Amino acid sequence: MKFLTLYFSLLLLLCGFVAVHGKIQRQKFVLQDVPYTRLCSSKSILTVNGKFPGPTLYGRVGDTLIVDVINRASENVTIHWHGVKQPRNPWTDGPVYITQCPIRPGTNFSQRIILSDEIGTLWWHAHIEWSRATVYGALIVLPKEGDAYPFPKPSAEIPIILGEWWKSDIRQVLSEALQTGSDPNASDAFLINGQPGDQYPCSTSDTFKVTVEYGKTYLLRMINDVMNNIMFFKIANHNLTVVGSDAAYTKPFTTDYVAISPGQTIDILLEANQQPSHYYMASRPHNIAGNFANTTTTAILAYTGNYTAPSSPPLPTLPNIDDAVSANTFTASLRSLATTDHPIDVPQKADTELLFTLSVNIFECGLNESCNGALQGRFRASINNITFVQPKIDILEAYYKRVTGVYEEDFPGNPPFQFNYTMEFVPRLLWVPQNGTRVRVVEYNSSVELVFQGTNILGGTYHPMHLHGYSFYVVGRGNGNFDRARDPSGYNLVDPPLQNTIAIPRNGWTAIRFKANNPGVWLLHCHLDRHVSWGMEMAFIVKEGTSQDAKMLPPPADMPKC
Ligand code: C2O
Ligand code: CU
């Protein structure tokens, strides 16, 4: 037995340090501009392989996928594999100027997607400016060959990818907002699998329809690629059983609605147990602050059989737009499955304790500018009062090659000013953040506790926070200010959910824990794109350990040049 292990370790070493356990699959992603029509208006959009949404990637637990990204479009791109930990391989993670420079038009980049213990639904999307509005798709990680789901095998799988559509060019929407400092224009429609559904002007033919058979059970793989909103989702007359989120199994629970954050995925069992007919599924935003489209996207669930379909099928009643209670209740219902077959590994103690405040801020308008943000200022956003400024070359390259002057290592572990974060009127003095390209350095293998604290600057809102390179356990949450003396005693260290994106409630806090065992440069950001564009992001540098398997893999030869 020992010999065998030794033999295999040697084999792995010979494979050029890349420990490939599962299968390797290779495919092409060709970026191209293609005309698409929605709501009777047509425009050219950036796509992968001409598809919208893009192609679905499949793998099994532990596989490695290789995607040759070929840029035949007219703009820069990068692709991120959202929720894939990429052990020791930050090189092909994708966030622009964090781990790579853009893939320029006419150039290619072969990206290695190293799956490890993720299981369930993940996705991929562009990670440069607002390109993910059209460049996104599912990444489905099946159990290992011969392994079963921890729930009855579904008859079929149904993707439900929530998206958004602007009639105007998405690059224009962003540049206009950045120029004037204002909130970006709201979209014209929300989408289910690329289709708005028939509740919009001139959209009747643009409806996603799925056929189900009475008595069968289906697995919905839901992904939220909406740019700036948590989304509510519901199917008329049907209950939903949640069984997974962010590529980890959860304790099954039954609900009649879902609240899903941008970046999050939710796996749901749907029993086709109603009178054979047509039913609407519908989704609309949860919104607290900012521009948004007050509209509903729909799709049709159609049973097989002989019946006359109603001309207007039943529509589900979704939670109200501003219903934060429904959103928070859903988020708080997720628990890890935590069985012997699917054990969890929650750090019981933390040796690195961090507290990060999340704020939307205002910069004063420049002298010769006119600004359209709140109070005639310019919207900005910050973590611990630092507004992230993108460097000229990526942080990973600068770190690896020891290039100085690209970033500072002094990102604060605690808020630089302590105040009553959720008080009713936060003094004006605290509204203005500081610009900086700062990272937080974390020791290899340390157990990190990170508490996100919302602030009431400008009234506050929710923030779906996403960490690259890791999944984390969501061990606690609460309203108001986090209290280190009192709140940790209420943590769930038994079956907290394992996620890569977590919505921090408005004027509340959320505590996460993870073991920093993946060396590299890893981005942390709000998954609302307007907040990212205003600077709500930062990066961790997780140091390497001493053993060979605690070091980063070497960079690929075709890394895009800056
Ligand atoms: Cu879904 Cu940094 O991304
Ligand atoms: Cu945010």
Side-chain angles (χ1 to χ4, degrees):
M1 192 61 207
K2 257 217 174 115
F3 271 123
L4 231 99
T5 332
L6 193 74
Y7 172 74
F8 275 115
S9 328
L10 267 172
L11 206 77
L12 289 178
L13 263 171
L14 290 173
C15 295
F17 302 114
V18 182
V20 177
H21 302 276
K23 267 199 225 132
I24 302 193
Q25 301 176 44
R26 190 158 198 149
Q27 44 226 298
K28 276 197 178 81
F29 267 25
V30 181
L31 273 296
Q32 49 199 120
D33 301 306
V34 174
Y36 265 81
T37 305
R38 293 288 182 273
L39 314 171
C40 293
S41 107
S42 165
K43 66 168 182 173
S44 171
I45 60 170
L46 183 62
T47 66
V48 166
N49 301 349
K51 293 201 169 125
F52 177 71
T56 301
L57 293 177
Y58 286 92
R60 289 189 185 274
V61 170
D63 282 357
T64 291
L65 313 179
I66 297 173
V67 176
D68 296 310
V69 181
I70 300 159
N71 189 358
R72 296 215 183 104
S74 56
E75 59 189 287
N76 291 340
V77 338
T78 71
I79 309 281
H80 168 56
W81 322 95
H82 179 118
V84 178
K85 297 185 191 82
Q86 299 274 29
R88 305 166 54 208
N89 182 38
W91 302 104
T92 58
D93 187 44
V96 73
Y97 296 120
I98 305 297
T99 63
Q100 72 170 86
C101 284
I103 307 169
R104 314 266 174 210
T107 67
N108 307 338
F109 183 31
S110 283
Q111 293 185 246
R112 198 174 265 273
I113 304 149
I114 304 177
L115 299 172
S116 49
D117 55 359
E118 303 88 351
I119 189 163
T121 307
L122 290 174
W123 61 302
W124 55 267
H125 61 80
H127 212 301
I128 174 169
E129 293 172 346
W130 279 28
S131 305
R132 84 167 169 90
T134 60
V135 178
Y136 60 91
L139 194 177
I140 291 170
V141 189
L142 301 167
K144 284 201 169 127
E145 201 105 43
D147 281 3
Y149 292 119
F151 43 80
K153 190 173 186 289
S155 309
E157 304 191 349
I158 305 170
I160 302 285
I161 312 181
L162 305 177
E164 214 165 356
W165 185 264
W166 274 262
K167 285 185 181 169
S168 43
D169 189 307
I170 198 66
R171 289 168 292 189
Q172 229 131 47
V173 175
L174 176 63
S175 71
E176 198 184 295
L178 292 182
Q179 231 163 59
T180 62
S182 64
D183 205 6
N185 286 338
S187 61
D188 295 289
F190 292 101
L191 311 170
I192 294 176
N193 297 335
Q195 304 288 357
D198 55 14
Q199 310 285 301
Y200 291 91
C202 206
S203 69
T204 321
S205 59
D206 303 338
T207 303
F208 173 74
K209 188 174 165 190
V210 63
T211 311
V212 295
E213 221 176 292
Y214 179 86
K216 295 202 162 158
T217 299
Y218 298 84
L219 178 60
L220 307 187
R221 294 186 178 276
M222 192 179 297
I223 298 166
N224 185 358
D225 177 67
V226 163
M227 300 299 275
N228 291 305
N229 287 104
I230 288 179
M231 297 297 285
F232 290 124
F233 174 88
K234 212 167 164 176
I235 304 181
N237 299 29
H238 289 75
N239 275 333
L240 306 166
T241 302
V242 175
V243 293
S245 182
D246 287 4
Y249 291 130
T250 59
K251 286 203 168 71
F253 74 94
T254 301
T255 170
D256 66 351
Y257 76 98
V258 165
I260 183 169
S261 294
Q264 193 183 4
T265 72
I266 301 179
D267 285 355
I268 297 163
L269 293 179
L270 167 71
E271 245 184 275
N273 57 7
Q274 295 300 301
Q275 176 78 42
S277 184
H278 281 188
Y279 299 88
Y280 272 121
M281 48 180 98
S283 180
R284 74 168 173 198
H286 167 40
N287 198 77
I288 294 174
N291 285 340
F292 74 105
N294 187 356
T295 62
T296 303
T297 175
T298 54
I300 297 281
L301 186 75
Y303 281 69
T304 55
N306 284 324
Y307 58 86
T308 0
S311 57
S312 54
L315 251 179
T317 313
L318 288 152
N320 285 333
I321 299 279
D322 61 356
D323 186 352
V325 173
S326 289
N328 294 338
T329 304
F330 183 89
T331 303
S333 314
L334 295 170
R335 297 265 180 285
S336 277
L337 184 56
T339 56
T340 20
D341 284 347
H342 302 281
I344 58 167
D345 184 19
V346 194
Q348 296 292 311
K349 286 220 162 54
D351 45 44
T352 303
E353 290 177 342
L354 305 168
L355 178 67
F356 287 5
T357 54
L358 308 170
S359 306
V360 172
N361 309 86
I362 314 182
F363 268 15
E364 219 160 289
C365 200
L367 263 187
N368 297 316
E369 301 173 335
S370 75
C371 301
N372 289 332
L375 302 156
Q376 272 76 57
R378 197 169 262 291
F379 275 119
R380 306 298 289 179
S382 62
I383 303 178
N384 269 352
N385 217 45
I386 312 293
T387 292
F388 187 82
V389 177
Q390 265 186 4
K392 294 279 176 305
I393 71 165
D394 62 283
I395 294 177
L396 178 59
E397 182 177 347
Y399 169 57
Y400 195 71
K401 296 185 181 158
R402 298 170 207 273
V403 183
T404 54
V406 175
Y407 62 87
E408 310 293 330
E409 293 192 347
D410 58 354
F411 188 91
N414 283 288
F417 312 109
Q418 283 170 32
F419 59 99
N420 176 357
Y421 307 113
T422 53
M423 70 180 136
E424 200 173 348
F425 301 104
V426 180
R428 263 318 263 276
L429 201 68
L430 296 163
W431 290 14
V432 188
Q434 244 179 46
N435 282 332
T437 308
R438 306 197 195 173
V439 305
R440 181 86 198 168
V441 178
V442 173
E443 293 302 322
Y444 181 75
N445 245 347
S446 81
S447 298
V448 180
E449 173 172 311
L450 170 52
V451 178
F452 296 106
Q453 172 70 60
T455 77
N456 196 33
I457 297 174
L458 296 175
T461 187
Y462 58 74
H463 304 284
M465 299 304 292
H466 170 51
L467 176 60
H468 289 217
Y470 291 87
S471 287
F472 46 75
Y473 291 100
V474 182
V475 295
R477 60 164 55 76
N479 291 321
N481 299 336
F482 174 70
D483 179 347
R484 190 161 287 293
R486 181 195 64 201
D487 290 323
S489 63
Y491 283 173
N492 173 7
L493 301 177
V494 177
D495 61 357
L498 183 63
Q499 297 186 240
N500 61 56
T501 306
I502 183 65
I504 317 308
R506 170 179 177 258
N507 285 330
W509 58 270
T510 300
I512 66 169
R513 281 190 184 174
F514 61 95
K515 186 142 202 166
N517 54 9
N518 189 12
V521 175
W522 302 110
L523 181 62
L524 170 81
H525 63 97
C526 178
H527 220 290
L528 304 185
D529 271 47
R530 62 162 181 260
H531 290 179
V532 181
S533 301
W534 295 340
M536 193 177 279
E537 54 185 329
M538 59 80 68
F540 285 107
I541 288 183
V542 177
K543 286 197 198 165
E544 298 185 313
T546 45
S547 65
Q548 197 52 47
D549 65 357
K551 307 231 184 280
M552 289 191 284
L553 299 172
D558 61 345
M559 278 309 290
K561 303 259 174 324
C562 286

